[in-house]
Amino acid sequence: LADCESLIALKDLANRLGCETVQCEDVGQGVPDADLRSTYLFNPTLSGVDAADVILMVGTNPRVEAPVLNARIRKAQLEGVPIGMLGEDVDLTYPTTHLGGAPPLSAKKNADFSLALDQARRPLVLVGANCDPAVMAEVEELFEKRRETIEDGWNPISVLHQSASTVGALDLGYGAAPKAVPEGKKLVFLLGADEIDVPEGAFVVYIGHHGDKGACRADVVLPAAAFTEKHATYVNTEGRPQHARRAIAPPGEARDDWKILRALSEVMGHALPYDDLRGVRSRLCEVSPTFERIDEAPQKATYLGPKHKKGKVGAKTVLRTTIENFYQTDVISRASLAMAKATQARANQ
């Protein structure tokens, strides 16, 4: 749930301290080139689901990852759009053509779906954010063979991210984080990061709220405001920058994350060059022109062909979502009594 203002402040501070390792824990290893936005966006845009004439889902479960999007896909299915699924066979509330749980990816596993894909002018492939590069390469190869039939200006690749921070972090130059911080790191800043292992001996500074896993392993905790308690910018999965506005004041000594980092930078002798919200947002626009167009989806990118290198794919590994509990997927819902009761009720079914 890290906002873009905080992400750029942390990156600027890290760079001023001589550190270039800034990573986002929710970025899958399937993102080959963060400089090319079309490799990590939902390229047809969310409204583009209504225009798709065939949909293929790979390693994702939109019912738990994006329920509103899932309702839109269900609408398309009711209107006759063929839906294929490669990955775990789950109930999405509408019928799908299951193409197997694991690679290799081949539409020929079902003749009717293969024919629909061959004839599609606006195919849409929904890819889970945690699919590895080899799976992404297979997806690209599948559509490369059908490139001549795809409508000009249509890019079928649609990456579905699970975090509000991911696209903004990639836009600002963050890379994909490993599951654990490499050994030998002496100082680790965790900006609301809770799902990454930190090596013994590292000094951990945690900036966040709700006292989740990251705070429990930290040496220093700097309390920050939640998204309802600050003016902030986020970028959604289709690449649309959006402003969130403060509804209530943060409790106690909590402050906006970027303000904490600004104060810390001055104490460390590397003061950041902005003092107010306007200044930090100007910095966002310097790094990425995307932030100059608030509430605007990016222009649809033309499919430019394969960007991933082919590799071995674990044929026995069933592709599935990483979300195990729909009701508790972030620090706020994990701290919610209502969501804990919903989780317990689901477990007792």
Side-chain angles (χ1 to χ4, degrees):
L1 294 174
D3 56 90
C4 294
E5 288 84 357
S6 306
L7 287 166
I8 191 59
L10 179 58
K11 185 175 187 295
D12 283 347
L13 177 57
N15 292 163
R16 284 169 178 259
L17 294 173
C19 174
E20 298 294 331
T21 307
V22 286
Q23 300 171 323
C24 180
E25 65 178 353
D26 293 318
V27 178
Q29 299 296 324
V31 176
D33 183 5
D35 291 331
L36 186 61
R37 294 191 90 210
S38 61
T39 62
Y40 59 83
L41 293 186
F42 196 108
N43 289 292
T45 72
L46 298 173
S47 61
V49 174
D50 298 336
D53 48 18
V54 64
I55 298 175
L56 172 64
M57 291 182 279
V58 180
T60 184
N61 180 349
R63 186 177 183 182
V64 298
E65 295 177 28
V68 175
L69 173 63
N70 193 57
R72 199 160 203 156
I73 297 174
R74 182 176 185 271
K75 174 177 175 288
Q77 188 276 326
L78 290 173
E79 293 175 349
V81 176
I83 312 289
M85 165 68 81
L86 178 71
E88 186 178 16
D89 192 8
V90 294
D91 178 15
L92 297 175
T93 71
Y94 48 85
T96 63
T97 299
H98 192 234
L99 303 174
L105 175 58
S106 174
K108 293 181 180 179
K109 293 179 180 178
N110 183 281
D112 292 338
F113 187 80
S114 178
L115 179 62
L117 200 59
D118 288 340
Q119 297 175 343
R121 294 282 294 161
R122 294 182 300 277
L124 187 151
V125 55
L126 187 62
V127 183
N130 291 289
C131 285
D132 63 40
V135 173
M136 294 292 290
E138 283 206 12
V139 170
E140 292 173 338
E141 183 179 12
L142 184 70
F143 286 99
E144 183 66 15
K145 295 176 181 178
R146 296 167 170 80
R147 190 168 181 176
E148 292 183 359
T149 63
I150 297 176
E151 184 178 285
D152 290 341
W154 180 269
N155 189 332
I157 307 299
S158 310
V159 182
L160 182 59
H161 294 285
Q162 299 175 5
S163 169
S165 307
T166 304
V167 176
L170 290 169
D171 284 342
L172 295 173
Y174 280 67
K179 294 182 179 179
V181 175
E183 295 290 337
K185 301 297 182 182
K186 296 181 180 180
L187 175 63
V188 179
F189 273 88
L190 297 179
L191 183 61
D194 297 281
E195 308 295 338
I196 189 168
D197 296 327
V198 178
E200 294 291 335
F203 189 88
V204 180
V205 179
Y206 181 81
I207 303 176
H209 47 82
H210 284 79
D212 205 63
K213 301 174 186 177
C216 294
R217 65 168 68 94
D219 296 283
V220 174
V221 176
L222 302 175
F227 73 94
T228 54
E229 301 163 352
K230 59 187 173 185
H231 298 289
T233 305
Y234 298 91
V235 185
N236 73 356
T237 196
E238 65 180 1
R240 186 192 302 267
Q242 298 170 311
H243 282 165
R245 293 176 174 81
R246 186 172 71 179
I248 56 175
E253 297 299 316
R255 297 289 184 271
D256 290 10
D257 313 54
W258 75 265
K259 292 181 179 179
I260 295 172
L261 290 161
R262 171 62 180 83
L264 187 61
S265 71
E266 189 163 346
V267 172
M268 299 176 74
H270 296 275
L272 297 176
Y274 32 79
D275 301 308
D276 54 22
L277 186 61
R278 178 177 296 180
V280 71
R281 285 182 172 171
S282 294
R283 174 61 178 153
L284 285 175
C285 295
E286 288 178 12
V287 175
S288 174
T290 296
F291 295 98
E292 296 178 354
R293 300 182 293 273
I294 300 300
D295 290 327
E296 293 184 20
Q299 292 183 348
K300 294 181 180 179
T302 301
Y303 179 60
L304 299 177
K307 296 298 177 184
H308 294 79
K309 295 181 180 180
K310 294 182 180 180
K312 293 183 179 180
V313 183
K316 296 182 179 179
T317 303
V318 176
L319 302 176
R320 54 168 54 90
T321 181
T322 57
I323 295 178
E324 298 178 357
N325 181 357
F326 168 76
Y327 298 104
Q328 295 182 311
T329 59
D330 56 69
V331 295
I332 296 176
S333 58
R334 284 196 289 265
S336 167
L337 180 59
M339 293 297 99
K341 290 180 178 179
T343 299
Q344 186 62 44
R346 182 65 179 270
N348 293 335
Q349 287 182 351

